[in-house]
């Protein structure tokens, strides 16, 4: 069996893995290796040919491949080695087992960064009733077929779920000549970014039906129609008000699942809400030599946040491998009023880096106050004109403000109409 030794091993060459690897290299790790199952780098961004990337990070509007290209160049320049067509199979205490072109490969490293991204939820996850004809795709699969393989997937389309991928595909399908009859969302509010609703639905007169769901799929060889119905406060369909929409294609944009099989195998504790690892402000999981970042940690709407968070993971993985990462007893960062989750979930007081807490609200609100407090001490607070579960929020606490904390940090969103 082939063997490889390095300071930091990164699993995944998407934007998270590329940024983490380059940062590890720039922060003293001599040998940094990325394990990537695909034949090329960039992860999901390779198929995201629309613009909208990089506004925060580069202050420019880039397409997905352009954005990924900047980090590919960065990783190359830093001297990161990428092993393509190589699948990480098993993360063990002392080693990472992989399978690649030369057969099995054993990788030993001082630290490991998990950057495996997400996969999409499918019809099977939702258990939508009906027949099983062709013409049902996850939105990301349809995106790959159209943008990379050049296959148009349908002509009359209904999209279930108002996540960003669904809205982006509503516009893409329209630009390719299809008729998108509706985007159907079970929640009473949008699941994705407002800017995507404006640019992808409103600009193309595509109806968004909130508090609605698909209750049946009909078709023998190919989808012929779907039945939709409004839902009540418990998300149960009101079947007497259902109606049929003739279509040949149903796209599903109903959520992403972090790819945490390797993490689970290694015994990395996962959050029951994010389905990603529980980490501290250094992006370090509860297994000290394992770090996590990007969509495998929590589903991000903006890749710019992924890049910054991943640089933090890579930098601190390098510091761990060199034996210089601060240690200490953590306090928990917990969701308070109208907050669904906080990531990182733990903070080591007295560390040497500012702490950026990412969180999602539980329900939309307007003119709210967003704050983090430890006991009665408010660490940071700001006003926000609008919050929505589809848009990730963050608060930054300086390293000095976290010195000596003993009580949990609670993030809360108060006030505002919901
Ligand atoms: C359709 C779509 C549209 C989007 N639009 C925007 C937008 O307009 N603006 C924006 O800012 N963001 C957008 N995003 C979000 C952004 O693309 C993601 O947040 C980002 O790609 C996440 O990066 P990642 O590296 O964590 O995951 P990924 O990009 O998914 O990369 C994960 C990598 O890990 C590899 N991998 C997984 N498991 C293994 C294994 N076991 N062994 C080896 N390799 C493995 C995969 O092959 C992949 O290359 C969009 C996302 C999608 C899906």
């Amino acid at each position: 069996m082939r063997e490889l030794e390095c300071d930091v091993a990164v699993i995944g060459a998407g934007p998270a893995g590329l940024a983490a690897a380059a940062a590890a290299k720039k922060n003293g790790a001599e040998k940094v290796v990325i394990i990537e199952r695909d034949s090329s780098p960039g992860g999901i961004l390779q198929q995201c040919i629309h613009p909208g990337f990089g506004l925060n990070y580069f202050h420019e509007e880039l397409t997905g491949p352009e954005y990924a290209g900047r980090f590919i160049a960065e990783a190359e320049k830093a001297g990161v080695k990428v092993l393509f067509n190589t699948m990480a199979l098993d993360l063990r205490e002392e080693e990472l087992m992989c399978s690649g072109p030369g057969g099995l490969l054993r990788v030993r490293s001082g630290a490991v960064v998990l950057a495996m991204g997400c996969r999409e939820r499918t019809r099977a996850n939702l258990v939508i009733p009906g027949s099983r004809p062709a013409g049902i795709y996850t939105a990301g699969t349809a995106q790959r077929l159209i943008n990379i393989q050049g296959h148009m997937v349908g002509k009359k389309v209904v999209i279930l779920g108002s996540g960003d991928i669904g809205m982006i595909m509503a516009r893409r399908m329209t630009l390719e000549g299809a008729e998108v009859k509706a985007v159907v969302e079970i929640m009473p509010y949008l699941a994705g970014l407002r800017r995507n609703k404006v640019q992808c639905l409103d600009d193309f007169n595509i109806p968004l039906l909130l508090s609605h769901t698909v209750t049946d799929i009909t078709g023998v060889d190919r989808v012929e129609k779907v039945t939709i119905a409004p839902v009540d406060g418990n998300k149960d369909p009101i079947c007497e008000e259902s109606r049929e929409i003739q279509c040949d294609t149903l796209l599903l944009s109903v959520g992403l699942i972090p790819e945490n099989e390797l993490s689970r195998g290694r015994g990395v504790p996962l959050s029951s809400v994010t389905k990603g690892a529980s980490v501290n402000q250094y992006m370090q999981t509860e297994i000290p030599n394992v770090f996590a970042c990007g969509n495998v940690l929590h589903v991000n709407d903006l890749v710019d946040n992924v890049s910054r968070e991943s640089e933090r993971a890579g930098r601190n993985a390098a510091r761990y491998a060199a034996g210089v990462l601060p240690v200490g007893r953590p306090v928990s960062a917990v969701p308070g009023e109208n907050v669904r989750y906080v990531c990182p979930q733990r903070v080591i007081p007295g560390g040497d880096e500012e702490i950026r807490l990412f969180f999602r609200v539980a329900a939309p609100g307007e003119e709210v106050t967003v704050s983090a407090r430890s006991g009665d001490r408010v660490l940071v607070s700001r006003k926000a004109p609008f919050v929505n579960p589809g848009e990730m929020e963050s608060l930054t606490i300086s390293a000095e403000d976290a010195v000596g904390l003993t009580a949990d940090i609670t993030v809360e969103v108060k006030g505002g109409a919901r």
Side-chain angles (χ1 to χ4, degrees):
M1 187 187 314
R2 292 174 308 141
E3 309 235 343
L4 191 154
E5 298 238 351
C6 58
D7 298 295
V8 176
V10 178
I11 310 174
L18 291 165
K25 197 78 175 112
K26 285 187 215 158
N27 284 273
E30 225 165 88
K31 197 162 176 198
V32 179
V33 175
I34 304 183
I35 311 297
E36 171 55 58
R37 64 186 173 193
D38 204 345
S39 55
S40 51
I44 198 77
L45 295 194
Q46 297 177 80
Q47 67 187 58
C48 298
I49 61 171
H50 56 278
F53 297 84
L55 287 166
N56 294 343
Y57 194 97
F58 292 112
H59 306 292
E60 282 179 67
E61 192 171 35
L62 304 172
T63 64
E66 282 170 337
Y67 186 94
R70 301 246 175 133
F71 282 91
I72 294 167
E74 191 75 15
E76 270 171 14
K77 196 168 128 213
V80 171
K81 184 179 168 69
V82 189
L83 302 180
F84 291 113
N85 301 309
T86 304
M87 178 91 182
L89 300 173
D90 191 11
L91 178 58
R92 301 175 182 169
E93 198 173 331
E94 301 286 329
E95 61 200 16
L96 175 64
M97 295 303 297
C98 305
S99 168
L104 282 181
L105 169 71
R106 189 200 313 267
V107 179
R108 291 182 202 273
S109 62
V112 174
V113 180
L114 307 173
M116 293 90 76
C118 272
R119 61 171 166 269
E120 295 175 284
R121 293 177 80 206
T122 64
R123 176 182 182 182
N125 295 111
L126 295 191
V127 200
I128 307 173
S131 52
R132 301 174 67 84
I136 305 166
Y137 303 87
T138 62
T141 299
Q143 186 181 50
R144 189 171 180 88
L145 285 168
I146 296 174
N147 292 353
I148 298 210
Q149 279 154 355
H151 294 295
M152 186 55 179
V153 298
K155 291 185 179 143
K156 291 188 168 52
V157 188
V158 170
I159 298 179
L160 177 59
S162 65
D164 293 313
I165 317 179
M167 292 193 283
I168 284 161
M169 283 312 291
R171 175 176 65 184
R172 187 81 188 108
M173 296 292 288
T174 308
L175 291 172
E176 289 297 332
E179 182 192 355
V180 179
K181 300 209 162 179
V183 173
V184 179
E185 168 60 56
I186 195 166
M187 300 304 284
Y189 47 78
L190 193 68
L193 299 173
R194 276 167 299 160
R195 76 169 196 212
N196 281 335
K197 176 180 179 293
V198 174
Q199 294 173 4
C200 302
L201 304 188
D202 299 351
D203 285 357
F204 294 86
N205 296 321
I206 297 169
L208 169 65
L209 303 174
L210 296 175
S211 299
H212 277 70
T213 193
V214 170
T215 55
D216 198 14
I217 300 170
T218 310
V220 181
D221 295 326
R222 177 88 197 186
V223 174
E224 289 159 23
K225 63 184 177 189
V226 297
T227 308
I228 66 164
V231 296
D232 62 20
N234 296 320
K235 292 190 234 155
D236 290 326
I238 305 167
C239 291
E240 345 28 294
E241 293 177 34
S242 64
R243 67 184 165 98
E244 293 175 347
I245 304 182
Q246 306 295 318
C247 60
D248 58 26
T249 303
L250 175 66
L251 297 190
L252 303 175
S253 175
V254 288
L256 299 167
I257 306 170
E259 294 237 21
N260 268 308
E261 286 69 20
L262 287 172
S263 328
R264 235 175 259 120
R266 176 67 185 89
V268 174
L270 303 182
S271 151
S272 59
V273 185
T274 61
K275 312 285 184 227
S278 156
V279 293
N280 62 25
Q281 74 263 42
Y282 303 117
M283 317 313 291
Q284 183 182 32
T285 71
E286 292 181 53
I287 307 276
N289 68 333
V290 181
F291 293 72
C293 54
N295 274 2
V296 79
L297 180 62
H298 58 143
V299 175
N300 283 264
D301 25 83
L302 291 182
V303 74
D304 308 61
N305 290 335
V306 167
S307 301
R308 289 195 201 283
E309 167 187 284
S310 306
E311 286 168 343
R312 192 174 289 253
R315 178 169 69 245
N316 289 310
R319 296 210 291 166
Y320 179 86
V324 296
L325 186 67
V327 290
R329 182 194 287 258
V331 296
S332 298
V334 295
E337 184 174 328
N338 196 20
V339 174
R340 199 160 68 83
Y341 75 80
V342 182
C343 182
Q345 292 84 354
R346 289 167 293 119
V347 169
I348 298 177
D352 55 359
E353 288 188 353
E354 65 174 23
I355 298 146
R356 190 151 180 215
L357 299 174
F358 287 99
F359 60 95
R360 283 187 192 272
V361 296
E366 283 174 22
E367 304 302 338
V368 295
T369 303
V370 177
S371 62
R373 65 175 165 81
S374 173
D376 290 337
R377 191 173 135 209
V378 176
L379 302 169
V380 58
S381 175
R382 67 172 165 81
K383 302 265 183 220
F386 182 85
V387 287
N388 193 45
E391 310 202 11
M392 186 126 73
E393 298 286 334
S394 71
L395 283 171
T396 303
I397 302 170
S398 69
E400 299 75 49
D401 280 345
V403 171
L405 294 185
T406 50
D408 288 352
I409 298 173
T410 305
V411 176
E412 49 201 6
V413 176
K414 290 195 164 177
R418 281 198 219 157

